[in-house]
Amino acid sequence: MSGERRGGEFELIDWIRRVGPAEPPDGVILGIGDDCAIVDLSSEGFALVTTDMLMDGRHFRLADDGAEAVGYKAMGVNISDVAAMAGVPRFAVVAVALPRAIAVETAQGLHKGLKRMADRFEVALVGGDTNAWDGPLVVSVTLLGDTSPFGAAPRSGAKPGDVVFVTGPLGGSLFRGRHLRPEPRVKEALILAEAASPSAMIDLSDGLSSDLGHILVESGGLGAELDADAIPIHPDAVDQSQADGISPLDHALHDGEDFELCLTVEPELAAKVMASPPAGVQLHRLGVIAAEPGIRLRAADGRTWAIEPKGFDHLAGGNP
Ligand code: ADP
Ligand code: MG
């Protein structure tokens, strides 16, 4: 930020420092206040880096949701991306474009939400950039993480015959504002990485049909055969269905922002984890990866049909 509001910006950054930790968090050599932060990622493994931007009117509505909820979500979606690599989130920086008329209160609310989510996962907020303008709130978080000793789980490793799982019920995340309260599956991903060495993994941000579709494409153009009755349906999807007439199954397949993990596991390991499910993680078996491209559903009566990815695509104009 520059010009006449510079004073306000310094006060704000002072406030952010004051409400921050008294002692530097683990791995933070130099935190907020200098030109760069200095951090110490683990010496083993690799650094994970991810960034996600949220925009008023697209990913939230500031007037309805409030700045704190936006901050909570902005940090959560990034932590969820690190979880999807079976990584450990460590350090975050945040860039904000604040609506000028309500800049300071918005920044403070946002920061509270960012911090509340970051604290839950022991993520240190080590810096940021603060701007104000006559446009809507935009917030972008960049997160650094460590790979776990069990290795990173990319999207690209699925093979025909691998079993497809998700870690929780899906659909209807917009209905009661659950999309604002992601539950990043960090612990679950680490448990799964150790117990099941996922061949591919992704977090469900765009919707199962799209996100599983990403695994299938990245894994070389594969398909999946899913058991329709096995798709776990969130109660919000059932309630939303009553309001909008779209079936609970369609909500579960195509709604986004559940932030559960979708993973594929090679058959012997899948049999092992199903026989003795690891504690601390829900595992729903949806079906198997197939060589023939596309996602097909099978009903209990044997009827099968293909589904198209209908999840959110910003550049395709997608659903809101
Ligand atoms: P510079 O001009 O060198 O980029 P700034 O004046 O933008 O530095 O920021 C001063 C310090 O405050 C930096 O350490 C920066 O990382 C931190 N900072 C700025 N905005 C935020 C924010 N919204 N949240 C956390 N840290 C911030
Ligand atoms: Mg500088």
Side-chain angles (χ1 to χ4, degrees):
M1 193 192 273
S2 62
E4 83 276 20
R5 301 200 64 90
R6 198 68 207 185
E9 181 194 351
F10 287 138
E11 268 169 44
L12 178 70
I13 292 169
D14 253 7
W15 175 84
I16 288 174
R17 292 174 82 171
R18 278 203 310 280
V19 300
E23 296 292 315
D26 196 28
V28 178
I29 313 301
L30 184 61
I32 292 172
D34 215 307
D35 295 310
C36 291
I38 306 177
V39 298
D40 185 9
L41 282 162
S42 89
S43 48
E44 299 142 45
F46 299 103
L48 297 170
V49 189
T50 186
T51 191
D52 240 348
M53 182 167 73
L54 306 188
M55 298 175 288
D56 194 2
R58 176 82 280 170
H59 304 92
F60 60 86
R61 294 184 195 286
L62 179 60
D64 299 336
D65 302 331
E68 186 168 347
V70 174
Y72 192 74
K73 176 174 182 173
M75 186 62 72
V77 300
N78 279 278
I79 294 175
S80 181
D81 279 325
V82 171
M85 301 300 284
V88 180
R90 298 289 307 277
F91 310 106
V93 291
V94 56
V96 293
L98 300 164
R100 198 187 301 281
I102 49 169
V104 172
E105 67 197 84
T106 304
Q108 290 186 332
L110 198 63
H111 182 76
K112 282 184 197 155
L114 287 164
K115 193 166 174 315
R116 191 154 54 80
M117 176 60 87
D119 286 350
R120 285 186 54 198
F121 290 89
E122 295 177 52
V123 168
L125 183 65
V126 296
D129 189 30
T130 304
N131 304 274
W133 68 330
D134 295 320
L137 176 62
V138 180
V139 50
S140 172
V141 172
T142 299
L143 186 58
L144 293 178
D146 287 320
T147 52
S148 84
F150 316 110
R155 297 178 179 185
S156 55
K159 299 251 173 352
D162 285 0
V163 178
V164 182
F165 294 98
V166 292
T167 56
L170 309 179
S173 73
L174 269 179
F175 195 59
R176 293 193 172 84
R178 185 164 45 88
H179 72 107
L180 294 167
R181 300 181 293 275
E183 283 294 330
R185 300 302 186 194
V186 174
K187 171 180 63 85
E188 291 82 353
L190 294 174
I191 292 170
L192 290 169
E194 181 169 21
S197 302
S199 50
M201 189 151 72
I202 193 167
D203 66 322
L204 295 177
S205 53
D206 295 335
L208 178 66
S209 59
S210 290
D211 289 322
L212 175 57
H214 295 320
I215 287 183
L216 300 176
V217 169
E218 293 299 320
S219 297
L222 300 177
E225 269 143 30
L226 308 183
D227 176 0
D229 291 341
I231 313 282
I233 292 175
H234 196 283
D236 288 343
V238 177
D239 294 345
Q240 189 168 358
S241 170
Q242 272 156 18
D244 65 13
I246 295 171
S247 76
L249 179 61
D250 276 341
H251 277 297
L253 289 171
H254 305 301
D255 289 358
E257 304 201 301
D258 288 304
F259 301 107
E260 297 294 347
L261 300 171
C262 175
L263 57 147
T264 63
V265 178
E266 58 106 341
E268 292 82 61
L269 276 170
K272 209 185 87 192
V273 291
M274 281 185 293
S276 53
V281 51
Q282 276 187 51
L283 264 187
H284 303 264
R285 181 192 190 280
L286 306 189
V288 292
I289 299 293
E292 189 193 330
I295 301 177
R296 289 164 297 280
L297 286 193
R298 179 185 298 272
D301 62 7
R303 194 167 53 95
T304 65
W305 67 100
I307 59 165
E308 294 299 321
K310 275 195 222 143
F312 190 75
D313 180 336
H314 288 272
L315 299 187
N319 50 349

